[in-house]
């Protein structure tokens, strides 16, 4: 009994958040179907589409599958952040997880820290998996300069943050866990198409669609990753004829701010009907 | 410390129950600091009102409640009577339209996390954290509270120690409820809300659970219990209230609710092979008279008072709850 009355430091938000992250990861990796689905879908698509589009861009030595790989890594990030979180939080709301947590003294921020830990681990794992496949099957080269590595990191980080926040926000639109799946898959698939993930080069798409896609993060993430993994000669296939890294940072940063504003406004943890 | 008349009439438990471990712990109660005035009510409610948008009548239509610290209070009422709405307002889950509410001295509509660490909630119909084990979940939740119980002890006490490494989704319904209860008490709450806590329990599990609740009550925990099982309310509650159509239609102890103690008793016996029945306010006198007539044992003697269930059914029927049959009809004979 002595242990129960021992005074101990008050639990901190960070400590509880990390502890929640541990639970989230265990929960995630124990649900084998979801793990296989989350990780295999973008990778399988990459392998299948990469095998179909095996042609080379004349005079560049770059294959269509390499362009695809750069774009698919962007799509993979959206899958483990936006899609996963959108469904995950709607499920937490549906099955009573959120109601139970609101009944405890857990600081709400700890819940989000836990999700961040989950998303960080799954997204890094997903990206490493897809990069490995692309390097092995499609001869994608890893970045060869520090500047390109740096670009890879910041595009990755801004992409993860913006898509995660949007996933958290969109979870509030779903009436239940099942409808969440439909609600997040639609923008996910549509954005992949109009952002030039499947259709390469992006300049092959109607200009109207590219303009529409330019309002959303996926197009810019894919563009940023192409600048990292493709030789500079490929820049002429971009819609603007340039990598536009400043714009990539601007749009992704803007979505981080907008996503955060949405998350602070919407009743993410709270009930919709009081 | 706390006046508990009902405890005295319960038969002593014959088997050593693991839940009695909790009672022995009460000597080391931490609560002295958090309880400036033990006489103050744990819960006070004045003229509470709540109407959901798009409904034509209020879910809660002017309720007053006083629940003392250390009391086991049971809320009864048919589905849709407003019980859950009242409890969810007390738990801080719902806003109210009007009325004054204090729970542990704080308005639950504005209460913060420190207040949350003083209450425990066992919700209905949970299906969460199926991919986690009771050990993982209870240990984790203990981390939310400033002065939790030992998680392993809690697992023992609710009878989940042997299942502590089983994924929650593989637990039976009753075992899942035990996990809910474990999470409700791991923070060592001053006030515990229990919403239909024993749904899915087998009879022995229910009895064990009752012992746990008594042990918690003996420690001084205030308990608010909503249940459909009237025997449960009768066994556990110091006081109870019946809610129908958003109002409290009766309030009292299990022995006196709805004037239960003033109903006539029914005396049944056999006389020359024929069943006889008489309703009387003085059953003892009648039995003595019969005993004298028979010169000893009265054949087939039964003295019955209305059960809590009889009283309850009459109360909610009298309030006009839409029931086509009349479950209170048999009770009329007790009048």
């Amino acid at each position: 009994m002595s242990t129960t009355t021992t005074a101990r430091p008050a639990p901190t938000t960070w400590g509880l958040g990390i502890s929640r992250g541990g639970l989230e990861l265990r929960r995630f990796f124990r649900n084998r179907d979801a793990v296989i689905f989350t990780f295999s879908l973008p990778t399988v698509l990459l392998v299948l589409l990469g095998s179909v589009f095996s042609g080379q861009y004349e005079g560049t030595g770059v294959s269509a599958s390499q362009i695809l790989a750069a774009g698919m890594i962007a799509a993979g990030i959206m899958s483990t952040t936006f899609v996963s979180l959108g469904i995950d939080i709607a499920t937490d709301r549906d099955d009573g997880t959120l109601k139970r947590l609101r009944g405890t003294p857990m600081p709400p921020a700890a819940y989000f820290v836990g999700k961040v830990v989950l998303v960080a681990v799954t997204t890094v794992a997903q990206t490493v998996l897809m990069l490995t496949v692309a390097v092995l099957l499609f001869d994608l080269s890893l970045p060869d300069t520090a500047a390109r590595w740096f670009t890879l990191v910041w595009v990755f980080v801004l992409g993860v943050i913006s898509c995660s926040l949007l996933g958290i926000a969109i979870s509030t639109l779903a009436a239940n866990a099942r409808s969440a799946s439909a609600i997040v898959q639609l923008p996910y698939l549509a954005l992949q198409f109009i952002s030039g993930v499947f259709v390469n080069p992006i300049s092959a798409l109607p200009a109207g669609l590219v303009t529409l896609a330019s309002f959303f993060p996926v197009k810019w993430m894919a563009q940023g990753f192409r600048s990292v993994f493709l030789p500079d000669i490929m820049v002429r296939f971009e819609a603007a004829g340039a990598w536009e890294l400043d714009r990539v940072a601007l749009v992704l940063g803007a979505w981080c701010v907008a996503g955060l504003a949405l998350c602070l406004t919407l009743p993410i943890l709270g009930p919709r009907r009081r | 410390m706390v006046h508990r008349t009902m405890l005295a009439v319960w038969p002593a438990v014959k088997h050593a129950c693991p839940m009695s471990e909790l009672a022995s712990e009460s000597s080391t109660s931490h609560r002295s600091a958090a309880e400036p005035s033990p006489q103050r009510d744990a819960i006070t409610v004045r003229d509470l009102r709540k109407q959901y948008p798009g409904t034509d009548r209020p879910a809660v239509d002017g309720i007053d409640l006083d629940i003392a610290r250390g009391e086991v209070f049971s809320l009864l009422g048919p589905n849709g009577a407003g019980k859950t709405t009242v409890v969810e307002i007390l738990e801080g889950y719902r806003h109210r339209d009007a009325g004054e509410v204090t729970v542990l001295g704080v308005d639950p509509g504005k209460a913060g996390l420190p207040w949350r660490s003083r209450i425990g909630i066992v919700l209905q119909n949970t299906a969460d954290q199926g991919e986690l084990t009771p050990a993982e979940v209870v240990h984790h939740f203990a981390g939310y509270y400033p002065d939790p119980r030992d998680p392993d002890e809690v697992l023992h006490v609710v009878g989940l120690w042997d299942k502590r490494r089983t994924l929650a989704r593989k637990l039976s319904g009753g075992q899942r409820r035990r996990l809910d209860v474990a999470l409700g008490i791991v923070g060592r709450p001053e006030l515990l809300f229990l919403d239909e806590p024993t749904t899915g329990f087998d009879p022995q599990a229910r009895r064990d659970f009752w012992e746990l609740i008594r042990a918690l009550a003996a420690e001084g925990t205030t308990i608010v219990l909503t249940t459909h099982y009237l025997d449960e309310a009768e066994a556990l509650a110091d006081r109870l209230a019946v809610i129908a159509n958003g109002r409290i239609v009766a309030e009292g102890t299990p022995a006196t609710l709805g004037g239960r103690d003033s109903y006539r008793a029914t005396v049944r016996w056999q006389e020359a092979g024929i069943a006889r029945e008489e309703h009387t306010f003085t059953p003892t006198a009648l039995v003595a008279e019969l005993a004298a007539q028979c010169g000893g044992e009265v054949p087939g003697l039964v003295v019955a008072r209305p059960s809590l269930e009889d009283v309850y059914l009459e109360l909610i029927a009298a309030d006009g709850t839409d029931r086509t049959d009349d479950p209170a009809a048999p009770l009329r004979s007790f009048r």
Side-chain angles (χ1 to χ4, degrees), chain A residues 200-217:
Chain A
N200 291 300
I202 191 170
S203 45
L205 282 165
L209 284 186
V210 176
T211 308
L212 181 62
S214 302
F215 288 103
F216 297 98

Side-chain angles (χ1 to χ4, degrees), chain A residues 1 4 8 11 16 19-20 23 26-27 30 95 97 99-107 273-274, chain B residues 50 88 93 95 113 116-117 126-129 131 136 140 142-145 147-148 150 153 180 183 188:
Chain A
M1 279 312 77
T4 60
R8 51 175 216 168
L16 291 177
S19 170
R20 278 212 66 78
L23 279 197
R26 267 182 264 191
R27 201 174 60 112
R30 278 176 193 163
D95 71 11
T97 300
K99 189 170 186 185
R100 191 196 294 282
L101 290 175
R102 275 190 294 128
T104 74
M106 180 202 76
R273 285 189 310 272
R274 307 262 301 210
Chain B
K50 170 81 181 179
E88 290 196 337
Y93 278 127
H95 292 308
L113 299 181
R116 287 249 164 247
S117 66
T126 56
D128 53 330
Q129 30 213 17
E131 301 295 333
E136 288 167 345
H140 175 76
Y144 294 158
Y145 296 89
D147 180 28
D150 175 12
E153 182 201 337
D180 291 334
L183 296 180
R188 205 188 295 272

Side-chain angles (χ1 to χ4, degrees), chain A residues 9-98:
Chain A
T12 66
T13 302
W14 278 108
L16 291 177
I18 300 298
S19 170
R20 278 212 66 78
L23 279 197
E24 297 276 8
L25 285 170
R26 267 182 264 191
R27 201 174 60 112
F28 176 81
F29 283 104
R30 278 176 193 163
N31 191 348
R32 204 153 300 161
D33 298 349
V35 172
I36 291 171
F37 183 78
T38 304
F39 284 122
S40 69
L41 191 63
T43 309
V44 166
L45 272 179
L46 171 63
V47 171
L48 292 179
L49 292 174
S51 311
V52 174
F53 305 130
S54 55
Q56 293 222 338
Y57 286 80
E58 263 197 59
T60 62
V62 173
S63 69
S65 51
Q66 288 169 343
I67 295 198
L68 177 77
M72 287 296 297
I73 289 170
I77 290 174
M78 192 178 175
S79 161
T80 49
T81 56
F82 177 81
V83 174
S84 290
L85 274 185
I87 297 173
D88 201 30
I89 295 177
T91 306
D92 282 353
R93 189 175 298 117
D94 210 20
D95 71 11
T97 300
L98 291 183

Side-chain angles (χ1 to χ4, degrees), chain A residues 128-208:
Chain A
V128 168
L129 174 68
M130 294 182 71
L131 263 182
T132 309
V133 168
V135 168
L136 292 180
L137 293 186
F138 307 128
D139 292 324
L140 191 76
S141 355
L142 292 177
D144 49 6
T145 66
R148 287 189 171 208
W149 276 108
F150 178 68
T151 306
L152 172 62
V153 170
W154 70 252
V155 172
F156 178 86
V157 169
L158 287 182
V160 167
I161 293 174
S162 57
C163 290
S164 294
L165 290 169
L166 292 175
I168 292 170
I170 203 171
S171 73
T172 56
L173 291 183
N176 56 53
R178 251 172 296 176
S179 67
S181 182
I183 286 174
V184 299
Q185 294 288 356
L186 191 66
Y188 172 56
L189 283 174
L191 280 180
Q192 281 184 84
F193 270 100
I194 67 173
S195 301
V197 171
F198 300 134
V199 182
N200 291 300
I202 191 170
S203 45
L205 282 165

Side-chain angles (χ1 to χ4, degrees), chain B residues 6 14 24 39 58 77-78 85 100 119 124 143 170 175 198 203 219 224 229 241 276 280 295 313-314 316 318 325-326:
Chain B
M6 289 312 295
K14 290 177 195 75
S24 63
Q39 282 77 28
T85 302
E100 283 171 40
I119 67 170
Q124 268 189 74
K170 292 181 179 162
Q175 288 164 342
T198 58
E219 265 188 55
V224 176
Y229 299 117
R276 296 283 311 273
T280 172
L313 289 173
E314 175 163 271
I316 60 171
D325 56 331
D326 185 2

